[in-house]
Amino acid sequence: MNNKLYGNLIFELSHKGRRGYSLPKNVFAEYEVPHAMRRAEDAQLPECDELTVVRHYTNHSANNFGVNNGFYPLGSCTMKYNPIIDEEMANMPQFSSLHPLQPESTVEGALEVCSMLERALCSLTGMQAFTFRPYAGAHGELTGLMIIRNYHESRSDTVRKKVIVPDSAHGTNPASAAVCGLEVVEVKSNTDGLVSLCDLERIVSEEGDSIAAMMMTNPNTLGLFEKNIPLITELIHGCGGLMYYDGANFNPMFGVCRPGDMGFDVCHLNLHKSFSTPHGGGGPGSGPVGVREGLQQYIPVVSPYHGNFAVMMRALAYILSLGRENVKMVGPLSTLNANYVKELLKDVFELPIDDRCMHEFVFDGLKDKSTGVTTMDVAKRLLDYGYHAPTIYFPLLFHESMMIEPTENESKETLDAFIDVMRKIAAEAVAEADVVKSAPHNTPIGRVDDVLAAKHPVVKC
Ligand SMILES: *Cc1c(COP(=O)(O)O)cnc(C)c1O
């Protein structure tokens, strides 16, 4: 891209008086716009010809990286391939041009989509009913905790204000509990990365009467299956609390096992993660919340209308196009892919918990700690080789976390190529550490000062 000609900002290409449009003759020229409705100064708009505008934006769009450009191993986010047919279904004008205030008799097809999706999600999760109103996973967590709070209040039990959250949990879990006016009690992980039963028993014996719920994701944030779930649900139900399932990691359980069968009472799913919606850059999302029988009446209204309908449409198209048989392959294939990558890299990257993982796993930086090359350096060097970086410095349990989630759609060749590059970077870290530490070298912008960017963001020119 020729930056000088096509510019970083469209304003840099502006020439006073340059026009990219022509309008028909103004038939209202005689009409006086009332003074009070006129702006005092001209709007500050860039003035460019059409071709310059087209090239400027087209060239910038080529700097985007998405699942459709290349391998995107961003752990925790389930950046999986979104089949084109799902986009086509969501974009059908019969659905996309509906208005939320239309009379119900004119939107029966859309309502049928909602109810088909609800039935499909109930059968995948073992829940009784779903609300589609939450717009994201975090919004679903808040909704779910409100359901739990409403349930306790309906029994005049107002002392249950505590929510148990594992120390490995996603940050939204404690945040949602706090927003819901509940108090977070952290339960520790043991050395094999699972919830410590010992610590949980202590919490339950000390504060059982004030426990409203326990939030868990399974597989957990380290990509490990929480095999003690039956014992955990027994403990929590035993003291009168409810179990909340954070379904952001539902992908590997797809068609294999169900949170409802594990004893969870309330759950959310991230349709934009496990059910096919492109979700880079923060949206769009949908975090439907499911409840077991007997909790439907506590579902609050957390947004107007029927939720993020286009995301729901993609989810239904995704489920139907896989079909009852293939849906069962999502979990096993995502698990196989993650284990394949992990096993072929664990001699050069530090694997703190050497166990069979589910859909994702976490390295704690390079195995050879003497090189001084950090997880940040490896992530930046991956960009040079045309890969999106994994999730880094999360989860917080390790200093140099690098969380990799390949997802189920990737071919063996793609995984092998990624493994080669990761091994190459590990070798570079030993032979020419400076090249890795000063990466990226091939991207339009070099290494940014992310601390400065966070503390003093410049969001306009
Ligand atoms: C992504 C994620 C969330 C939050 O979901 P959003 O849709 O981003 O709000 C919660 N928990 C886990 C484990 C996640 O990976």
Side-chain angles (χ1 to χ4, degrees):
M1 179 164 111
N2 184 337
N3 275 335
K4 207 162 169 309
L5 253 187
Y6 299 114
N8 284 322
L9 295 175
I10 189 81
F11 286 91
E12 291 168 12
L13 306 175
S14 177
H15 289 277
K16 193 145 188 53
R18 190 71 56 84
R19 287 286 174 271
Y21 61 85
S22 62
L23 297 175
K25 190 168 153 13
N26 184 2
V27 294
F28 299 107
E30 300 298 303
Y31 184 77
E32 262 306 282
V33 176
H35 205 75
M37 297 178 84
R38 288 196 222 157
R39 54 162 70 243
E41 290 163 28
D42 282 348
Q44 299 295 303
L45 297 174
E47 299 179 67
C48 300
D49 60 281
E50 180 172 333
L51 188 51
T52 298
V53 174
V54 167
R55 286 183 182 151
H56 171 79
Y57 287 110
T58 305
N59 286 322
H60 272 310
S61 75
N63 289 329
N64 275 337
F65 190 96
V67 181
N68 290 6
N69 296 87
F71 187 54
Y72 205 133
L74 196 70
S76 188
C77 297
T78 308
M79 302 302 283
K80 70 191 207 179
Y81 170 62
N82 307 291
I84 311 288
I85 188 167
D86 305 345
E87 278 308 309
E88 284 185 6
M89 294 300 120
N91 282 305
M92 278 166 68
Q94 292 90 329
F95 290 112
S96 64
S97 61
L98 296 179
H99 191 280
L101 289 177
Q102 265 177 251
E104 286 194 357
S105 62
T106 66
V107 293
E108 287 190 349
L111 293 174
E112 175 69 13
V113 165
C114 300
S115 108
M116 283 174 78
L117 182 60
E118 181 178 18
R119 271 174 287 160
L121 297 186
C122 284
S123 77
L124 281 166
T125 58
M127 292 288 154
Q128 182 71 27
F130 268 86
T131 169
F132 290 106
R133 288 193 152 132
Y135 290 126
H139 197 193
E141 291 167 25
L142 176 62
T143 309
L145 291 171
M146 288 164 83
I147 293 169
I148 291 171
R149 198 184 55 190
N150 292 347
Y151 160 77
H152 288 308
E153 280 174 4
S154 78
R155 301 179 303 117
S156 310
D157 188 343
T158 49
V159 290
R160 293 188 182 271
K161 291 279 180 218
K162 293 188 176 155
V163 178
I164 304 175
V165 176
D167 58 3
S168 65
H170 194 270
T172 51
N173 290 184
S176 302
V179 171
C180 196
L182 300 166
E183 204 183 304
V184 177
V185 181
E186 194 176 87
V187 57
K188 294 198 169 32
S189 303
N190 54 25
T191 46
D192 55 11
L194 306 179
V195 165
S196 159
L197 283 178
C198 243
D199 199 32
L200 187 63
E201 275 163 4
R202 178 191 60 78
I203 294 170
V204 167
S205 71
E206 285 172 11
E207 347 205 18
D209 294 343
S210 58
I211 301 300
M214 174 161 180
M215 300 179 86
M216 281 187 83
T217 182
N218 193 24
N220 67 21
T221 301
L222 297 174
L224 304 171
F225 192 80
E226 294 276 1
K227 46 184 175 255
N228 298 319
I229 288 281
L231 289 170
I232 294 173
T233 49
E234 204 180 304
L235 266 174
I236 299 300
H237 286 154
C239 76
L242 297 186
M243 287 296 291
Y244 182 88
Y245 177 69
D246 171 344
N249 289 339
F250 188 62
N251 215 43
M253 307 217 324
F254 232 107
V256 179
C257 52
R258 315 192 302 171
D261 300 338
M262 295 178 185
F264 287 98
D265 304 287
V266 182
C267 77
H268 82 258
L269 295 172
N270 299 53
L271 294 190
H272 47 287
K273 290 183 182 172
S274 323
F275 294 83
S276 157
T277 279
H279 61 281
S286 172
V289 171
V291 293
R292 68 159 166 77
E293 173 102 68
L295 290 176
Q296 290 105 308
Q297 66 268 39
Y298 303 116
I299 298 177
V301 173
V302 292
S303 68
Y305 314 124
H306 298 279
N308 218 341
F309 185 74
V311 181
M312 292 154 60
M313 193 66 214
R314 290 187 188 92
L316 182 63
Y318 178 68
I319 294 168
L320 293 180
S321 60
L322 281 177
R324 212 172 265 277
E325 287 308 309
N326 293 330
V327 124
K328 296 187 188 137
M329 296 303 292
V330 171
L333 285 176
S334 68
T335 302
L336 175 66
N337 282 357
N339 280 285
Y340 182 72
V341 174
K342 169 176 71 78
E343 288 302 312
L344 290 176
L345 286 177
K346 72 177 189 186
D347 61 320
V348 285
F349 288 88
E350 183 77 42
L351 183 63
I353 297 172
D354 193 356
D355 200 350
R356 188 138 63 90
C357 67
M358 294 290 122
H359 61 308
E360 63 191 357
F361 61 90
V362 182
F363 283 137
D364 188 9
L366 283 159
K367 193 146 204 170
D368 183 349
K369 302 287 181 213
S370 70
T371 65
V373 168
T374 64
T375 280
M376 175 67 87
D377 301 329
V378 174
K380 296 293 181 189
R381 188 66 176 142
L382 269 171
L383 307 182
D384 280 337
Y385 289 109
Y387 288 93
H388 195 282
T391 293
I392 57 172
Y393 299 106
F394 176 82
L396 306 177
L397 292 180
F398 313 115
H399 286 299
E400 292 290 326
S401 288
M402 185 187 295
M403 188 178 195
I404 296 176
E405 178 179 8
T407 82
E408 65 276 13
N409 298 105
E410 301 295 347
S411 67
K412 180 171 178 296
E413 291 73 23
T414 302
L415 299 180
D416 285 336
F418 175 70
I419 290 163
D420 281 351
V421 163
M422 287 289 278
R423 299 191 69 87
K424 195 165 168 184
I425 295 173
E428 285 175 348
V430 177
E432 37 183 351
D434 283 346
V435 174
V436 186
K437 289 165 99 40
S438 54
H441 306 283
N442 305 337
T443 51
I445 294 175
R447 197 176 293 208
V448 291
D449 183 339
D450 45 348
V451 176
L452 188 71
K455 298 228 154 159
H456 300 285
V458 180
V459 291
K460 64 184 177 67
C461 62

